[in-house]
Amino acid sequence: MDKNTLFTSFGKWLAPICTKTFTNQITETGQDKYVKKLTTPAYLKLFLHAQLQGRDGLRDIADDVLCKEFQQELGLESISAAQL
């Protein structure tokens, strides 16, 4: 396995989701047309993680994004509670 591959337990949990079909639907509907930061796949991962961790509010969710490994998983550098 490549040493640069990020395959976390969260990534393993998301593996059954068919990302090709998901991204095709996003492209067809133009859902991420004007998105600058929080794309639909990142949104899905972020809020699934929040649900699994039992987060109470947007500030707690935004604090989770401060973790470097989770930032790599989402493709985000940072995001505030207001942006969520």
Side-chain angles (χ1 to χ4, degrees):
M1 184 181 282
D2 186 14
K3 68 178 181 177
N4 295 325
T5 302
L6 179 67
F7 203 61
T8 62
S9 58
F10 184 66
K12 290 177 188 176
W13 188 83
L14 288 174
I17 297 174
C18 183
T19 55
K20 184 176 181 181
T21 303
F22 187 63
T23 54
N24 286 343
Q25 290 294 324
I26 293 167
T27 304
E28 286 177 15
T29 59
Q31 190 167 337
D32 283 349
K33 188 174 183 179
Y34 299 108
V35 171
K36 294 179 182 169
K37 200 172 208 180
L38 187 61
T39 62
T40 304
Y43 175 86
L44 175 70
K45 290 177 185 177
L46 182 63
F47 282 92
L48 283 174
H49 181 267
Q51 181 67 33
L52 289 171
Q53 296 296 319
R55 299 298 183 229
D56 291 328
L58 295 176
R59 289 191 194 277
D60 294 334
I61 296 169
D63 289 342
D64 285 343
V65 181
L66 297 176
C67 174
K68 291 288 184 194
E69 292 83 17
F70 195 49
Q71 287 175 0
Q72 290 176 345
E73 184 78 36
L74 294 175
L76 292 173
E77 291 181 15
S78 67
I79 196 157
S80 67
Q83 290 172 317
L84 293 175

